[in-house]
Amino acid sequence: MRLQTDVLIIGSGAAGMYAALEAARHGARVMLVDRSLIGRGGATVMAQMTVAVALGEEQPDHWEHHLADTLTAGRELCDSALSQLLCEEAPACIREMDAWGVGWARKNGHISQVQAPGHDRPRCVYVDFVNTGPAVSKTLRARLQRTAEVQRTGDLLVTELALCDGACVGAYAVHTATGESIPIAAKTTIIATGGLTRIYARNSASINMGGDGYALALRAGAELIDMEFVQFFPIGHLAPRLVGMDPIMWDPFRYKLGGRLLNAEMREFLQEDGRYVAARDHATYAILKEVAEGRGSPHGGAWLSFRIAASANCARHSAR
Ligand SMILES: Cc1cc2nc3c(=O)[nH]c(=O)nc-3n(C[C@H](O)[C@H](O)[C@H](O)COP(=O)(O)OP(=O)(O)OC[C@H]3O[C@@H](n4cnc5c(N)ncnc54)[C@H](O)[C@@H]3O)c2cc1C
């Protein structure tokens, strides 16, 4: 079998599905392929919490404030042009998703926005009952079903980009159910294969997040940039593991449940006064510092305590 299209999109998370809709909107024939099921394979469908966007529904806001917070949180290391694109275009995208029926949580008739670490005001929208990612994914899948120009094919694992005189002219894929090799010719190829956290020993990624897109691009001669920007939940794992609860994002939950991070001396080392204020990298560095200075828990992390502060006894679980 040999396939042909105007635009080939590899990966059908939010990025790939939205790119497919946008390309179709501009009159292109699109082929959206995924190594898993369409819209169900990667991080998008797993995201539970919130999306930062300067809507100004809760308090006056502007994308420039969002950009300033983003650059500060990134220690000025982020690509400022890409950061601006994200912050500036986000409000229109989020409102578009609202019109498509994603169901952003509302309060008194307006979209509800909550504050998260790193932001100077309530800026984060969400779909209730930790349903943000699944709702975004479902909405985009439903749009795609009504978009005839987009052909969707799951179980296609792209293994190599096809090159001609140094230009990308499509890709080679393997049909995972039959092992059949399938070349796909395309005028334009978009890589939307998501992140690479699966390559770390302990992670909160799906099996499809092994960084395939990075490898495809690198082998095709592209330069990879900003490889140090890998995001982790500071408290993603418990030791010993708890069936059904590992990995899980304990960071927001620990505030709701009153959890505190303690070092080996049973001392709280991240002073947050019970508020959800420490950005993820700050919390991660704080844990690492305690471990590096010999004050870690026996499992190489910190203690996560749910005891009342005064007693300061540790819980039986340590976080890392
Ligand atoms: C547990 C978890 C919770 C999160 N919570 C939040 C949150 O609350 N708020 C927030 O803003 N962000 C959150 N994120 C991050 C957010 O989900 C991601 O940044 C975003 O979904 C990435 O979208 P994507 O389309 O780029 O990639 P993905 O959604 O990962 O999609 C990539 C797709 O590419 C496919 N693929 C990979 N390799 C190949 C290949 N070789 N051939 C074909 N297909 C391939 C995969 O199967 C997958 O379907 C969370 C992430 C995780 C893992």
Side-chain angles (χ1 to χ4, degrees), residues 10-15 34-35 41-44 47-50 156-158 192-194 204 208 212:
I10 310 168
S12 65
D34 201 292
R35 58 183 287 175
T44 303
Q48 298 168 337
M49 306 297 291
T50 60
L156 270 192
L157 172 72
V158 172
T193 49
S204 60
N208 302 310
D212 293 16

mmCIF file with all atom_site columns, all heavy atoms in Angstrom, residues 10-15 34-35 41-44 47-50 156-158 192-194 204 208 212, ligand 1:
data_model
loop_
_atom_site.group_PDB
_atom_site.id
_atom_site.type_symbol
_atom_site.label_atom_id
_atom_site.label_alt_id
_atom_site.label_comp_id
_atom_site.label_asym_id
_atom_site.label_entity_id
_atom_site.label_seq_id
_atom_site.pdbx_PDB_ins_code
_atom_site.Cartn_x
_atom_site.Cartn_y
_atom_site.Cartn_z
_atom_site.occupancy
_atom_site.B_iso_or_equiv
_atom_site.pdbx_formal_charge
_atom_site.auth_seq_id
_atom_site.auth_comp_id
_atom_site.auth_asym_id
_atom_site.auth_atom_id
_atom_site.pdbx_PDB_model_num
ATOM   1   N N   . ILE A 1 10  ? 1.921  13.590 11.927 1.00 0.00 ? 10  ILE A N   1
ATOM   2   C CA  . ILE A 1 10  ? 2.316  12.405 12.692 1.00 0.00 ? 10  ILE A CA  1
ATOM   3   C C   . ILE A 1 10  ? 2.022  12.670 14.168 1.00 0.00 ? 10  ILE A C   1
ATOM   4   O O   . ILE A 1 10  ? 2.644  13.514 14.801 1.00 0.00 ? 10  ILE A O   1
ATOM   5   C CB  . ILE A 1 10  ? 3.827  12.106 12.510 1.00 0.00 ? 10  ILE A CB  1
ATOM   6   C CG1 . ILE A 1 10  ? 4.210  12.098 11.029 1.00 0.00 ? 10  ILE A CG1 1
ATOM   7   C CG2 . ILE A 1 10  ? 4.184  10.784 13.171 1.00 0.00 ? 10  ILE A CG2 1
ATOM   8   C CD1 . ILE A 1 10  ? 5.719  12.103 10.783 1.00 0.00 ? 10  ILE A CD1 1
ATOM   9   N N   . GLY A 1 11  ? 1.052  11.938 14.705 1.00 0.00 ? 11  GLY A N   1
ATOM   10  C CA  . GLY A 1 11  ? 0.673  12.121 16.111 1.00 0.00 ? 11  GLY A CA  1
ATOM   11  C C   . GLY A 1 11  ? -0.657 12.837 16.234 1.00 0.00 ? 11  GLY A C   1
ATOM   12  O O   . GLY A 1 11  ? -0.864 13.889 15.636 1.00 0.00 ? 11  GLY A O   1
ATOM   13  N N   . SER A 1 12  ? -1.559 12.248 17.019 1.00 0.00 ? 12  SER A N   1
ATOM   14  C CA  . SER A 1 12  ? -2.907 12.827 17.107 1.00 0.00 ? 12  SER A CA  1
ATOM   15  C C   . SER A 1 12  ? -3.284 13.194 18.538 1.00 0.00 ? 12  SER A C   1
ATOM   16  O O   . SER A 1 12  ? -4.380 12.877 19.001 1.00 0.00 ? 12  SER A O   1
ATOM   17  C CB  . SER A 1 12  ? -3.949 11.868 16.519 1.00 0.00 ? 12  SER A CB  1
ATOM   18  O OG  . SER A 1 12  ? -4.005 10.694 17.301 1.00 0.00 ? 12  SER A OG  1
ATOM   19  N N   . GLY A 1 13  ? -2.366 13.889 19.222 1.00 0.00 ? 13  GLY A N   1
ATOM   20  C CA  . GLY A 1 13  ? -2.744 14.541 20.475 1.00 0.00 ? 13  GLY A CA  1
ATOM   21  C C   . GLY A 1 13  ? -3.423 15.852 20.118 1.00 0.00 ? 13  GLY A C   1
ATOM   22  O O   . GLY A 1 13  ? -3.832 16.071 18.965 1.00 0.00 ? 13  GLY A O   1
ATOM   23  N N   . ALA A 1 14  ? -3.537 16.747 21.093 1.00 0.00 ? 14  ALA A N   1
ATOM   24  C CA  . ALA A 1 14  ? -4.188 18.036 20.822 1.00 0.00 ? 14  ALA A CA  1
ATOM   25  C C   . ALA A 1 14  ? -3.466 18.784 19.700 1.00 0.00 ? 14  ALA A C   1
ATOM   26  O O   . ALA A 1 14  ? -4.096 19.372 18.815 1.00 0.00 ? 14  ALA A O   1
ATOM   27  C CB  . ALA A 1 14  ? -4.208 18.885 22.092 1.00 0.00 ? 14  ALA A CB  1
ATOM   28  N N   . ALA A 1 15  ? -2.120 18.739 19.714 1.00 0.00 ? 15  ALA A N   1
ATOM   29  C CA  . ALA A 1 15  ? -1.358 19.475 18.699 1.00 0.00 ? 15  ALA A CA  1
ATOM   30  C C   . ALA A 1 15  ? -1.659 18.938 17.300 1.00 0.00 ? 15  ALA A C   1
ATOM   31  O O   . ALA A 1 15  ? -1.939 19.709 16.372 1.00 0.00 ? 15  ALA A O   1
ATOM   32  C CB  . ALA A 1 15  ? 0.139  19.380 19.002 1.00 0.00 ? 15  ALA A CB  1
ATOM   33  N N   . ASP A 1 34  ? -1.444 7.947  13.718 1.00 0.00 ? 34  ASP A N   1
ATOM   34  C CA  . ASP A 1 34  ? -0.978 7.775  15.106 1.00 0.00 ? 34  ASP A CA  1
ATOM   35  C C   . ASP A 1 34  ? -0.604 6.311  15.339 1.00 0.00 ? 34  ASP A C   1
ATOM   36  O O   . ASP A 1 34  ? -1.244 5.406  14.799 1.00 0.00 ? 34  ASP A O   1
ATOM   37  C CB  . ASP A 1 34  ? -2.066 8.179  16.105 1.00 0.00 ? 34  ASP A CB  1
ATOM   38  C CG  . ASP A 1 34  ? -1.478 8.507  17.471 1.00 0.00 ? 34  ASP A CG  1
ATOM   39  O OD1 . ASP A 1 34  ? -0.973 7.577  18.153 1.00 0.00 ? 34  ASP A OD1 1
ATOM   40  O OD2 . ASP A 1 34  ? -1.483 9.691  17.839 1.00 0.00 ? 34  ASP A OD2 1
ATOM   41  N N   . ARG A 1 35  ? 0.415  6.114  16.149 1.00 0.00 ? 35  ARG A N   1
ATOM   42  C CA  . ARG A 1 35  ? 0.822  4.746  16.460 1.00 0.00 ? 35  ARG A CA  1
ATOM   43  C C   . ARG A 1 35  ? -0.206 4.070  17.363 1.00 0.00 ? 35  ARG A C   1
ATOM   44  O O   . ARG A 1 35  ? -0.230 2.839  17.490 1.00 0.00 ? 35  ARG A O   1
ATOM   45  C CB  . ARG A 1 35  ? 2.198  4.720  17.121 1.00 0.00 ? 35  ARG A CB  1
ATOM   46  C CG  . ARG A 1 35  ? 2.298  5.523  18.386 1.00 0.00 ? 35  ARG A CG  1
ATOM   47  C CD  . ARG A 1 35  ? 3.705  5.512  18.961 1.00 0.00 ? 35  ARG A CD  1
ATOM   48  N NE  . ARG A 1 35  ? 4.019  4.230  19.540 1.00 0.00 ? 35  ARG A NE  1
ATOM   49  C CZ  . ARG A 1 35  ? 5.201  3.874  20.029 1.00 0.00 ? 35  ARG A CZ  1
ATOM   50  N NH1 . ARG A 1 35  ? 6.199  4.738  19.974 1.00 0.00 ? 35  ARG A NH1 1
ATOM   51  N NH2 . ARG A 1 35  ? 5.407  2.703  20.540 1.00 0.00 ? 35  ARG A NH2 1
ATOM   52  N N   . GLY A 1 41  ? -3.724 8.466  22.371 1.00 0.00 ? 41  GLY A N   1
ATOM   53  C CA  . GLY A 1 41  ? -2.455 7.785  22.606 1.00 0.00 ? 41  GLY A CA  1
ATOM   54  C C   . GLY A 1 41  ? -1.451 8.473  23.504 1.00 0.00 ? 41  GLY A C   1
ATOM   55  O O   . GLY A 1 41  ? -0.567 7.816  24.051 1.00 0.00 ? 41  GLY A O   1
ATOM   56  N N   . GLY A 1 42  ? -1.521 9.775  23.656 1.00 0.00 ? 42  GLY A N   1
ATOM   57  C CA  . GLY A 1 42  ? -0.413 10.480 24.308 1.00 0.00 ? 42  GLY A CA  1
ATOM   58  C C   . GLY A 1 42  ? -0.797 11.199 25.580 1.00 0.00 ? 42  GLY A C   1
ATOM   59  O O   . GLY A 1 42  ? -1.663 10.751 26.347 1.00 0.00 ? 42  GLY A O   1
ATOM   60  N N   . ALA A 1 43  ? -0.180 12.355 25.784 1.00 0.00 ? 43  ALA A N   1
ATOM   61  C CA  . ALA A 1 43  ? -0.362 13.096 27.030 1.00 0.00 ? 43  ALA A CA  1
ATOM   62  C C   . ALA A 1 43  ? -1.712 13.797 27.095 1.00 0.00 ? 43  ALA A C   1
ATOM   63  O O   . ALA A 1 43  ? -2.282 13.959 28.174 1.00 0.00 ? 43  ALA A O   1
ATOM   64  C CB  . ALA A 1 43  ? 0.754  14.129 27.187 1.00 0.00 ? 43  ALA A CB  1
ATOM   65  N N   . THR A 1 44  ? -2.238 14.231 25.936 1.00 0.00 ? 44  THR A N   1
ATOM   66  C CA  . THR A 1 44  ? -3.437 15.078 25.950 1.00 0.00 ? 44  THR A CA  1
ATOM   67  C C   . THR A 1 44  ? -4.575 14.426 26.732 1.00 0.00 ? 44  THR A C   1
ATOM   68  O O   . THR A 1 44  ? -5.188 15.046 27.598 1.00 0.00 ? 44  THR A O   1
ATOM   69  C CB  . THR A 1 44  ? -3.887 15.396 24.515 1.00 0.00 ? 44  THR A CB  1
ATOM   70  O OG1 . THR A 1 44  ? -2.803 16.023 23.839 1.00 0.00 ? 44  THR A OG1 1
ATOM   71  C CG2 . THR A 1 44  ? -5.101 16.304 24.508 1.00 0.00 ? 44  THR A CG2 1
ATOM   72  N N   . ALA A 1 47  ? -4.085 14.600 30.593 1.00 0.00 ? 47  ALA A N   1
ATOM   73  C CA  . ALA A 1 47  ? -3.993 15.861 31.345 1.00 0.00 ? 47  ALA A CA  1
ATOM   74  C C   . ALA A 1 47  ? -5.264 16.075 32.160 1.00 0.00 ? 47  ALA A C   1
ATOM   75  O O   . ALA A 1 47  ? -6.367 15.957 31.650 1.00 0.00 ? 47  ALA A O   1
ATOM   76  C CB  . ALA A 1 47  ? -3.764 17.029 30.397 1.00 0.00 ? 47  ALA A CB  1
ATOM   77  N N   . GLN A 1 48  ? -5.067 16.374 33.443 1.00 0.00 ? 48  GLN A N   1
ATOM   78  C CA  . GLN A 1 48  ? -6.245 16.428 34.318 1.00 0.00 ? 48  GLN A CA  1
ATOM   79  C C   . GLN A 1 48  ? -6.527 17.809 34.858 1.00 0.00 ? 48  GLN A C   1
ATOM   80  O O   . GLN A 1 48  ? -7.636 18.082 35.294 1.00 0.00 ? 48  GLN A O   1
ATOM   81  C CB  . GLN A 1 48  ? -6.010 15.494 35.513 1.00 0.00 ? 48  GLN A CB  1
ATOM   82  C CG  . GLN A 1 48  ? -5.855 14.062 35.108 1.00 0.00 ? 48  GLN A CG  1
ATOM   83  C CD  . GLN A 1 48  ? -5.348 13.222 36.267 1.00 0.00 ? 48  GLN A CD  1
ATOM   84  O OE1 . GLN A 1 48  ? -4.742 13.742 37.195 1.00 0.00 ? 48  GLN A OE1 1
ATOM   85  N NE2 . GLN A 1 48  ? -5.618 11.944 36.212 1.00 0.00 ? 48  GLN A NE2 1
ATOM   86  N N   . MET A 1 49  ? -5.527 18.654 34.876 1.00 0.00 ? 49  MET A N   1
ATOM   87  C CA  . MET A 1 49  ? -5.665 19.839 35.707 1.00 0.00 ? 49  MET A CA  1
ATOM   88  C C   . MET A 1 49  ? -6.165 21.060 34.930 1.00 0.00 ? 49  MET A C   1
ATOM   89  O O   . MET A 1 49  ? -7.332 21.172 34.644 1.00 0.00 ? 49  MET A O   1
ATOM   90  C CB  . MET A 1 49  ? -4.342 20.140 36.400 1.00 0.00 ? 49  MET A CB  1
ATOM   91  C CG  . MET A 1 49  ? -3.797 18.954 37.183 1.00 0.00 ? 49  MET A CG  1
ATOM   92  S SD  . MET A 1 49  ? -4.876 18.457 38.539 1.00 0.00 ? 49  MET A SD  1
ATOM   93  C CE  . MET A 1 49  ? -4.670 19.850 39.592 1.00 0.00 ? 49  MET A CE  1
ATOM   94  N N   . THR A 1 50  ? -5.262 21.989 34.638 1.00 0.00 ? 50  THR A N   1
ATOM   95  C CA  . THR A 1 50  ? -5.693 23.289 34.126 1.00 0.00 ? 50  THR A CA  1
ATOM   96  C C   . THR A 1 50  ? -4.856 23.716 32.923 1.00 0.00 ? 50  THR A C   1
ATOM   97  O O   . THR A 1 50  ? -3.817 23.146 32.642 1.00 0.00 ? 50  THR A O   1
ATOM   98  C CB  . THR A 1 50  ? -5.529 24.371 35.207 1.00 0.00 ? 50  THR A CB  1
ATOM   99  O OG1 . THR A 1 50  ? -4.150 24.427 35.584 1.00 0.00 ? 50  THR A OG1 1
ATOM   100 C CG2 . THR A 1 50  ? -6.382 24.080 36.432 1.00 0.00 ? 50  THR A CG2 1
ATOM   101 N N   . LEU A 1 156 ? -0.579 3.239  13.079 1.00 0.00 ? 156 LEU A N   1
ATOM   102 C CA  . LEU A 1 156 ? 0.495  3.478  12.105 1.00 0.00 ? 156 LEU A CA  1
ATOM   103 C C   . LEU A 1 156 ? 1.676  4.128  12.838 1.00 0.00 ? 156 LEU A C   1
ATOM   104 O O   . LEU A 1 156 ? 1.599  5.278  13.262 1.00 0.00 ? 156 LEU A O   1
ATOM   105 C CB  . LEU A 1 156 ? 0.036  4.408  10.983 1.00 0.00 ? 156 LEU A CB  1
ATOM   106 C CG  . LEU A 1 156 ? -0.592 3.803  9.732  1.00 0.00 ? 156 LEU A CG  1
ATOM   107 C CD1 . LEU A 1 156 ? -0.698 4.856  8.636  1.00 0.00 ? 156 LEU A CD1 1
ATOM   108 C CD2 . LEU A 1 156 ? 0.179  2.593  9.231  1.00 0.00 ? 156 LEU A CD2 1
ATOM   109 N N   . LEU A 1 157 ? 2.729  3.366  12.986 1.00 0.00 ? 157 LEU A N   1
ATOM   110 C CA  . LEU A 1 157 ? 3.929  3.851  13.694 1.00 0.00 ? 157 LEU A CA  1
ATOM   111 C C   . LEU A 1 157 ? 4.915  4.398  12.665 1.00 0.00 ? 157 LEU A C   1
ATOM   112 O O   . LEU A 1 157 ? 5.426  3.647  11.826 1.00 0.00 ? 157 LEU A O   1
ATOM   113 C CB  . LEU A 1 157 ? 4.561  2.689  14.453 1.00 0.00 ? 157 LEU A CB  1
ATOM   114 C CG  . LEU A 1 157 ? 5.916  2.936  15.100 1.00 0.00 ? 157 LEU A CG  1
ATOM   115 C CD1 . LEU A 1 157 ? 5.797  3.851  16.312 1.00 0.00 ? 157 LEU A CD1 1
ATOM   116 C CD2 . LEU A 1 157 ? 6.549  1.616  15.504 1.00 0.00 ? 157 LEU A CD2 1
ATOM   117 N N   . VAL A 1 158 ? 5.138  5.694  12.705 1.00 0.00 ? 158 VAL A N   1
ATOM   118 C CA  . VAL A 1 158 ? 6.084  6.290  11.748 1.00 0.00 ? 158 VAL A CA  1
ATOM   119 C C   . VAL A 1 158 ? 7.504  6.025  12.246 1.00 0.00 ? 158 VAL A C   1
ATOM   120 O O   . VAL A 1 158 ? 7.840  6.309  13.400 1.00 0.00 ? 158 VAL A O   1
ATOM   121 C CB  . VAL A 1 158 ? 5.823  7.803  11.579 1.00 0.00 ? 158 VAL A CB  1
ATOM   122 C CG1 . VAL A 1 158 ? 6.919  8.445  10.734 1.00 0.00 ? 158 VAL A CG1 1
ATOM   123 C CG2 . VAL A 1 158 ? 4.462  8.023  10.935 1.00 0.00 ? 158 VAL A CG2 1
ATOM   124 N N   . ALA A 1 192 ? 3.993  15.854 15.310 1.00 0.00 ? 192 ALA A N   1
ATOM   125 C CA  . ALA A 1 192 ? 3.254  16.252 16.527 1.00 0.00 ? 192 ALA A CA  1
ATOM   126 C C   . ALA A 1 192 ? 3.197  15.056 17.468 1.00 0.00 ? 192 ALA A C   1
ATOM   127 O O   . ALA A 1 192 ? 2.136  14.668 17.951 1.00 0.00 ? 192 ALA A O   1
ATOM   128 C CB  . ALA A 1 192 ? 1.850  16.732 16.152 1.00 0.00 ? 192 ALA A CB  1
ATOM   129 N N   . THR A 1 193 ? 4.385  14.483 17.707 1.00 0.00 ? 193 THR A N   1
ATOM   130 C CA  . THR A 1 193 ? 4.433  13.219 18.450 1.00 0.00 ? 193 THR A CA  1
ATOM   131 C C   . THR A 1 193 ? 4.601  13.395 19.956 1.00 0.00 ? 193 THR A C   1
ATOM   132 O O   . THR A 1 193 ? 4.818  12.422 20.675 1.00 0.00 ? 193 THR A O   1
ATOM   133 C CB  . THR A 1 193 ? 5.595  12.345 17.925 1.00 0.00 ? 193 THR A CB  1
ATOM   134 O OG1 . THR A 1 193 ? 6.769  13.159 17.866 1.00 0.00 ? 193 THR A OG1 1
ATOM   135 C CG2 . THR A 1 193 ? 5.299  11.809 16.541 1.00 0.00 ? 193 THR A CG2 1
ATOM   136 N N   . GLY A 1 194 ? 4.545  14.630 20.428 1.00 0.00 ? 194 GLY A N   1
ATOM   137 C CA  . GLY A 1 194 ? 4.552  14.853 21.874 1.00 0.00 ? 194 GLY A CA  1
ATOM   138 C C   . GLY A 1 194 ? 5.925  14.712 22.502 1.00 0.00 ? 194 GLY A C   1
ATOM   139 O O   . GLY A 1 194 ? 6.950  14.821 21.819 1.00 0.00 ? 194 GLY A O   1
ATOM   140 N N   . SER A 1 204 ? 5.500  9.749  34.358 1.00 0.00 ? 204 SER A N   1
ATOM   141 C CA  . SER A 1 204 ? 4.037  9.709  34.375 1.00 0.00 ? 204 SER A CA  1
ATOM   142 C C   . SER A 1 204 ? 3.508  9.741  32.943 1.00 0.00 ? 204 SER A C   1
ATOM   143 O O   . SER A 1 204 ? 2.454  10.285 32.664 1.00 0.00 ? 204 SER A O   1
ATOM   144 C CB  . SER A 1 204 ? 3.490  10.900 35.173 1.00 0.00 ? 204 SER A CB  1
ATOM   145 O OG  . SER A 1 204 ? 3.920  12.108 34.579 1.00 0.00 ? 204 SER A OG  1
ATOM   146 N N   . ASN A 1 208 ? 3.395  5.750  24.623 1.00 0.00 ? 208 ASN A N   1
ATOM   147 C CA  . ASN A 1 208 ? 3.676  6.334  23.304 1.00 0.00 ? 208 ASN A CA  1
ATOM   148 C C   . ASN A 1 208 ? 4.510  7.614  23.381 1.00 0.00 ? 208 ASN A C   1
ATOM   149 O O   . ASN A 1 208 ? 4.737  8.252  22.362 1.00 0.00 ? 208 ASN A O   1
ATOM   150 C CB  . ASN A 1 208 ? 2.359  6.637  22.585 1.00 0.00 ? 208 ASN A CB  1
ATOM   151 C CG  . ASN A 1 208 ? 1.524  5.391  22.433 1.00 0.00 ? 208 ASN A CG  1
ATOM   152 O OD1 . ASN A 1 208 ? 2.011  4.378  21.971 1.00 0.00 ? 208 ASN A OD1 1
ATOM   153 N ND2 . ASN A 1 208 ? 0.273  5.452  22.865 1.00 0.00 ? 208 ASN A ND2 1
ATOM   154 N N   . ASP A 1 212 ? 9.678  9.780  19.910 1.00 0.00 ? 212 ASP A N   1
ATOM   155 C CA  . ASP A 1 212 ? 9.856  9.344  18.507 1.00 0.00 ? 212 ASP A CA  1
ATOM   156 C C   . ASP A 1 212 ? 10.104 10.530 17.578 1.00 0.00 ? 212 ASP A C   1
ATOM   157 O O   . ASP A 1 212 ? 10.943 10.454 16.678 1.00 0.00 ? 212 ASP A O   1
ATOM   158 C CB  . ASP A 1 212 ? 8.604  8.609  17.994 1.00 0.00 ? 212 ASP A CB  1
ATOM   159 C CG  . ASP A 1 212 ? 8.376  7.287  18.674 1.00 0.00 ? 212 ASP A CG  1
ATOM   160 O OD1 . ASP A 1 212 ? 8.986  7.058  19.734 1.00 0.00 ? 212 ASP A OD1 1
ATOM   161 O OD2 . ASP A 1 212 ? 7.578  6.489  18.150 1.00 0.00 ? 212 ASP A OD2 1
HETATM 162 C C1  . LIG B 2 .   ? -0.057 12.875 33.375 1.00 0.00 ? 1   LIG B C1  1
HETATM 163 C C2  . LIG B 2 .   ? -0.011 14.205 32.641 1.00 0.00 ? 1   LIG B C2  1
HETATM 164 C C3  . LIG B 2 .   ? -0.772 15.255 33.108 1.00 0.00 ? 1   LIG B C3  1
HETATM 165 C C4  . LIG B 2 .   ? -0.734 16.508 32.470 1.00 0.00 ? 1   LIG B C4  1
HETATM 166 N N1  . LIG B 2 .   ? -1.499 17.530 32.958 1.00 0.00 ? 1   LIG B N1  1
HETATM 167 C C5  . LIG B 2 .   ? -1.516 18.729 32.310 1.00 0.00 ? 1   LIG B C5  1
HETATM 168 C C6  . LIG B 2 .   ? -2.337 19.784 32.760 1.00 0.00 ? 1   LIG B C6  1
HETATM 169 O O1  . LIG B 2 .   ? -3.051 19.673 33.734 1.00 0.00 ? 1   LIG B O1  1
HETATM 170 N N2  . LIG B 2 .   ? -2.339 20.963 32.077 1.00 0.00 ? 1   LIG B N2  1
HETATM 171 C C7  . LIG B 2 .   ? -1.552 21.139 30.964 1.00 0.00 ? 1   LIG B C7  1
HETATM 172 O O2  . LIG B 2 .   ? -1.596 22.234 30.362 1.00 0.00 ? 1   LIG B O2  1
HETATM 173 N N3  . LIG B 2 .   ? -0.750 20.142 30.516 1.00 0.00 ? 1   LIG B N3  1
HETATM 174 C C8  . LIG B 2 .   ? -0.719 18.955 31.167 1.00 0.00 ? 1   LIG B C8  1
HETATM 175 N N4  . LIG B 2 .   ? 0.095  17.953 30.718 1.00 0.00 ? 1   LIG B N4  1
HETATM 176 C C9  . LIG B 2 .   ? 0.900  18.207 29.521 1.00 0.00 ? 1   LIG B C9  1
HETATM 177 C C10 . LIG B 2 .   ? 0.013  18.143 28.269 1.00 0.00 ? 1   LIG B C10 1
HETATM 178 O O3  . LIG B 2 .   ? -0.858 17.051 28.382 1.00 0.00 ? 1   LIG B O3  1
HETATM 179 C C11 . LIG B 2 .   ? 0.897  18.005 27.027 1.00 0.00 ? 1   LIG B C11 1
HETATM 180 O O4  . LIG B 2 .   ? 1.827  19.057 26.974 1.00 0.00 ? 1   LIG B O4  1
HETATM 181 C C12 . LIG B 2 .   ? 0.067  18.017 25.731 1.00 0.00 ? 1   LIG B C12 1
HETATM 182 O O5  . LIG B 2 .   ? -1.064 17.188 25.839 1.00 0.00 ? 1   LIG B O5  1
HETATM 183 C C13 . LIG B 2 .   ? 0.928  17.565 24.575 1.00 0.00 ? 1   LIG B C13 1
HETATM 184 O O6  . LIG B 2 .   ? 0.108  17.442 23.423 1.00 0.00 ? 1   LIG B O6  1
HETATM 185 P P1  . LIG B 2 .   ? 0.716  16.878 22.093 1.00 0.00 ? 1   LIG B P1  1
HETATM 186 O O7  . LIG B 2 .   ? -0.369 16.832 21.086 1.00 0.00 ? 1   LIG B O7  1
HETATM 187 O O8  . LIG B 2 .   ? 1.945  17.661 21.756 1.00 0.00 ? 1   LIG B O8  1
HETATM 188 O O9  . LIG B 2 .   ? 1.252  15.400 22.438 1.00 0.00 ? 1   LIG B O9  1
HETATM 189 P P2  . LIG B 2 .   ? 0.449  14.069 22.843 1.00 0.00 ? 1   LIG B P2  1
HETATM 190 O O10 . LIG B 2 .   ? -0.894 14.352 23.361 1.00 0.00 ? 1   LIG B O10 1
HETATM 191 O O11 . LIG B 2 .   ? 1.387  13.288 23.695 1.00 0.00 ? 1   LIG B O11 1
HETATM 192 O O12 . LIG B 2 .   ? 0.239  13.352 21.440 1.00 0.00 ? 1   LIG B O12 1
HETATM 193 C C14 . LIG B 2 .   ? 1.302  12.771 20.728 1.00 0.00 ? 1   LIG B C14 1
HETATM 194 C C15 . LIG B 2 .   ? 0.754  11.633 19.881 1.00 0.00 ? 1   LIG B C15 1
HETATM 195 O O13 . LIG B 2 .   ? 1.788  11.173 19.010 1.00 0.00 ? 1   LIG B O13 1
HETATM 196 C C16 . LIG B 2 .   ? 1.673  9.769  18.875 1.00 0.00 ? 1   LIG B C16 1
HETATM 197 N N5  . LIG B 2 .   ? 2.972  9.239  18.427 1.00 0.00 ? 1   LIG B N5  1
HETATM 198 C C17 . LIG B 2 .   ? 4.141  9.254  19.118 1.00 0.00 ? 1   LIG B C17 1
HETATM 199 N N6  . LIG B 2 .   ? 5.105  8.706  18.360 1.00 0.00 ? 1   LIG B N6  1
HETATM 200 C C18 . LIG B 2 .   ? 4.542  8.347  17.168 1.00 0.00 ? 1   LIG B C18 1
HETATM 201 C C19 . LIG B 2 .   ? 5.042  7.730  15.990 1.00 0.00 ? 1   LIG B C19 1
HETATM 202 N N7  . LIG B 2 .   ? 6.328  7.346  15.861 1.00 0.00 ? 1   LIG B N7  1
HETATM 203 N N8  . LIG B 2 .   ? 4.186  7.497  14.960 1.00 0.00 ? 1   LIG B N8  1
HETATM 204 C C20 . LIG B 2 .   ? 2.886  7.874  15.070 1.00 0.00 ? 1   LIG B C20 1
HETATM 205 N N9  . LIG B 2 .   ? 2.362  8.458  16.161 1.00 0.00 ? 1   LIG B N9  1
HETATM 206 C C21 . LIG B 2 .   ? 3.181  8.699  17.202 1.00 0.00 ? 1   LIG B C21 1
HETATM 207 C C22 . LIG B 2 .   ? 1.252  9.300  20.262 1.00 0.00 ? 1   LIG B C22 1
HETATM 208 O O14 . LIG B 2 .   ? 0.628  8.035  20.219 1.00 0.00 ? 1   LIG B O14 1
HETATM 209 C C23 . LIG B 2 .   ? 0.307  10.411 20.696 1.00 0.00 ? 1   LIG B C23 1
HETATM 210 O O15 . LIG B 2 .   ? -1.041 10.119 20.393 1.00 0.00 ? 1   LIG B O15 1
HETATM 211 C C24 . LIG B 2 .   ? 0.089  16.689 31.335 1.00 0.00 ? 1   LIG B C24 1
HETATM 212 C C25 . LIG B 2 .   ? 0.842  15.606 30.849 1.00 0.00 ? 1   LIG B C25 1
HETATM 213 C C26 . LIG B 2 .   ? 0.802  14.378 31.498 1.00 0.00 ? 1   LIG B C26 1
HETATM 214 C C27 . LIG B 2 .   ? 1.616  13.224 30.953 1.00 0.00 ? 1   LIG B C27 1
#
